[in-house]
């Protein structure tokens, strides 16, 4: 017996051994990935310039620490030309600043995308980059062209590193029901949307949900946010096994949610590692701020039981039988792993059917029970939610 075994209980040692086996397996089967390097941190430079600037003799609000309400009051006091000047001069700040009027934020991000596309096109034609670097630059330029198509409502955009973005479907200003889709590993500006199997990427997930909502209740004032505005783990490796990136992402998600009107009924839909982020964020959200938290394809929410989320939201969970995440040990030890399996009876979530999802990324595919259930949850039509056949048939008990 080793010294480590002697000092640990048999249960703890088996848990650690299971994790070690999993991470060795991941490292040797090619599941880990190296994220491509993007452009330098343009937003940091923009924030630095912003902090030195004034308008009408007034200092500009701190983009890191100013509350959304204070930002909203600042912009309300500006003339339209002044606000537009700030959006066009500092688009990477204004376009990512909670509290800025939505239309101005969308305009700022269009300006930022136009500039970023020009930069990437120049990089793609540069003789200083490797062929792989030029190809990556060309792909990013194509992505920015897509995001500029029509009048897409880009709520957040940062080209730095692997890139982050968020998009709004519907009219967020008047919506009474808002759904926020929080994706998992390997989400960046290039994987924000996909032409094939669109429902496997954040934009496609949001479009599928919004489309079903409109079909189910055309008169409902709904909006869906494809929220990929955090740095996600690259591949299923060490970063994905800890909550470090989830903790940073939770701060960003909390800031977004705090800027939404409290009159809106907000539901979170958290996929894979995104469910870790939602679990970390939940205890810090104000009572009643979120109506529902739905996790699917989840490695855990970084707690043992749903009650430890300390949330007033209804907690839902779904997993298709073909999802490989089922085989990942659902435990936490020494900072590795994310706790109890959310679809297990001991966790305490309301388990719903995901029939037809076909694998880890398929929960928003057309015709799936998961998409139908997510739609009913987002609309608050709990009576229509279909429980998982292997779980408590009363998953909607106690809900109006």
């Amino acid at each position: 017996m080793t010294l480590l075994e002697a000092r640990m209980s048999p249960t703890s040692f088996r848990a650690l051994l299971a994790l070690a086996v999993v991470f060795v397996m991941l490292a040797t089967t090619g599941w880990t990935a190296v994220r491509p390097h993007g452009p330098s941190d343009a937003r940091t430079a923009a924030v630095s310039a912003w902090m030195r600037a004034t308008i009408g003799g007034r200092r500009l609000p701190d983009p890191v620490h100013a509350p959304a309400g204070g930002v909203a009051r600042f912009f309300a006091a500006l003339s339209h030309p002044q606000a537009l000047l700030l959006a066009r001069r500092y688009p990477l700040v204004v376009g990512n600043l909670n509290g800025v009027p939505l239309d101005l934020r969308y305009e700022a991000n269009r300006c930022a995308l136009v500039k970023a596309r020009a930069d990437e096109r120049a990089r793609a034609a540069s003789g200083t980059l490797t062929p792989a670097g030029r190809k990556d630059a060309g792909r990013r330029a194509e992505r920015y062209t897509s995001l500029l198509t029509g009048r897409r409502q880009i709520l957040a955009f940062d080209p730095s590193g692997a890139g982050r973005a968020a998009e709004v479907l519907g009219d967020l200003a008047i919506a009474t029901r808002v759904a926020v889709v929080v994706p998992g590993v390997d989400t960046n500006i290039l994987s924000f949307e996909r032409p094939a199997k669109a429902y496997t990427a954040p934009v496609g997930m949001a479009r599928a949900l919004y489309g079903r909502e409109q079909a189910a209740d055309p008169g409902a004032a709904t909006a869906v946010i494809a929220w990929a505005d955090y740095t996600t783990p690259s591949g299923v490796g060490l970063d994905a096994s800890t909550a470090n990136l989830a903790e940073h992402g939770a701060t960003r998600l909390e800031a977004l949610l705090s800027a939404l009107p409290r009159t809106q009924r907000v539901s979170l839909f958290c996929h894979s590692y995104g469910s870790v982020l939602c679990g970390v964020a939940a205890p810090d959200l104000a009572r009643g701020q979120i109506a529902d938290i739905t996790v699917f394809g989840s490695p855990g929410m970084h707690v043992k039981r749903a009650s430890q989320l300390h949330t007033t939201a209804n907690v839902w969970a779904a997993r298709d039988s073909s999802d490989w995440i089922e085989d990942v040990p659902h435990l936490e030890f020494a900072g590795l792993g994310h706790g109890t399996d959310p679809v297990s009876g001991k966790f305490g979530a309301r388990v719903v059917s995901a029939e037809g999802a076909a694998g880890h990324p398929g929960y928003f595919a057309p015709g799936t029970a998961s998409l139908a259930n997510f739609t009913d949850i987002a609309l608050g039509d709990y009576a229509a939610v279909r429980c998982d056949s292997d779980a408590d048939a009363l998953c909607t008990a106690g809900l109006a």
Side-chain angles (χ1 to χ4, degrees), residues 116-117 120 140-148 157 159 189:
R117 181 175 62 179
E120 292 301 334
R140 290 172 74 106
E142 291 174 0
R143 170 66 66 246
Y144 300 155
T145 295
S146 175
L147 296 176
L148 284 164
F157 170 66
I189 201 65

Side-chain angles (χ1 to χ4, degrees), residues 167-187:
E167 181 176 7
V168 174
L169 301 176
D171 192 337
L172 186 57
I174 66 170
T176 57
R177 293 185 178 275
V178 177
V180 183
V181 177
V182 183
V185 299
D186 281 331
T187 301

Side-chain angles (χ1 to χ4, degrees), residues 188-210:
N188 53 55
I189 201 65
L190 291 178
S191 59
F192 185 52
E193 57 185 6
R194 293 191 177 99
K197 293 187 177 180
Y199 58 81
T200 65
V203 170
M205 293 178 182
R207 287 178 176 170
L209 181 58
Y210 184 67

Side-chain angles (χ1 to χ4, degrees), residues 6-397:
R7 291 182 176 179
M8 297 172 62
S9 69
T11 300
S12 297
F13 184 76
R14 284 195 298 271
L16 181 60
L17 181 61
L19 280 174
V21 169
V22 168
F23 296 126
V24 168
M25 179 180 69
L26 295 180
T28 57
T29 56
W31 286 10
T32 55
V34 177
R35 173 157 293 175
H37 296 288
S40 59
D41 195 345
R43 187 169 184 273
T44 297
V47 168
S48 179
W50 168 274
M51 292 298 291
R52 297 192 301 269
T54 60
I55 191 163
R58 301 175 60 194
R59 296 288 301 272
L60 307 183
D62 186 333
V64 177
H65 300 106
V71 172
R73 289 188 294 272
F74 174 86
F75 275 87
L78 299 179
S79 67
H80 180 69
Q82 286 176 319
L84 200 57
L85 174 65
L86 290 179
R88 291 174 176 172
R89 183 171 293 176
Y90 307 103
L92 287 175
V93 178
V94 176
N96 294 282
L97 192 54
N98 292 309
V100 170
L102 289 171
D103 287 344
L104 187 65
R105 195 163 168 177
Y106 300 152
E107 177 63 26
N109 283 320
R110 286 187 65 83
C111 293
L113 281 162
V114 169
K115 172 65 165 59
R117 181 175 62 179
D119 290 344
E120 292 301 334
R121 284 175 172 172
R123 293 178 71 237
S126 171
T128 62
L129 295 181
T130 64
R134 291 194 295 273
K135 181 179 180 180
D136 181 68
R139 292 177 64 206
R140 290 172 74 106
E142 291 174 0
R143 170 66 66 246
Y144 300 155
T145 295
S146 175
L147 296 176
L148 284 164
T149 302
R151 296 297 299 179
R152 294 178 66 173
Q153 300 175 139
I154 305 304
L155 185 67
F157 170 66
D158 185 350
S160 304
R164 300 194 298 257
E167 181 176 7
V168 174
L169 301 176
D171 192 337
L172 186 57
I174 66 170
T176 57
R177 293 185 178 275
V178 177
V180 183
V181 177
V182 183
V185 299
D186 281 331
T187 301
N188 53 55
I189 201 65
L190 291 178
S191 59
F192 185 52
E193 57 185 6
R194 293 191 177 99
K197 293 187 177 180
Y199 58 81
T200 65
V203 170
M205 293 178 182
R207 287 178 176 170
L209 181 58
Y210 184 67
R212 278 297 301 257
E213 285 181 331
Q214 293 297 293
D217 189 351
T222 62
V224 180
I225 303 174
W227 190 80
D229 194 24
Y230 80 105
T231 300
T232 69
S234 292
V236 189
L238 185 59
D239 279 343
S241 72
T242 73
N244 292 340
L245 292 178
E247 289 168 357
H248 291 292
T251 300
R252 301 181 67 83
L253 180 61
E254 291 160 18
L256 167 71
L257 297 175
S258 69
L260 298 177
R262 290 299 297 272
T263 55
Q264 293 177 330
R265 187 176 180 88
V266 181
S267 299
L268 302 180
F269 293 89
C270 316
H271 180 229
S272 193
Y273 188 82
S275 66
V276 183
L277 188 158
C278 290
V280 172
D284 293 327
L285 299 175
R287 291 182 61 84
Q289 190 171 3
I290 301 296
D292 302 280
I293 302 174
T294 304
V295 299
F296 45 102
S298 174
M301 298 186 75
H302 217 59
V303 291
K304 292 182 179 179
R305 295 178 297 278
S307 61
Q308 293 174 323
L309 296 172
H310 302 293
T311 179
T312 55
N314 303 309
V315 180
W316 309 82
R319 187 177 66 221
D320 184 73
S321 59
S322 62
D323 190 339
W324 58 261
I325 204 77
E326 181 179 9
D327 298 323
V328 172
H330 287 82
L331 44 84
E332 190 278 331
F333 184 83
L336 296 176
H338 301 300
T340 306
D341 184 350
V343 302
S344 68
K346 61 183 177 182
F347 185 76
R350 300 173 182 271
V351 183
V352 302
S353 174
E355 185 179 347
H360 190 59
Y363 291 89
F364 286 86
T368 57
S370 47
L371 178 57
N373 280 328
F374 297 167
T375 303
D376 293 331
I377 291 169
L379 291 173
D381 187 6
Y382 300 136
V385 172
R386 176 181 161 192
C387 300
D388 183 71
S389 58
D390 296 327
D392 184 357
L394 300 176
C395 69
T396 58

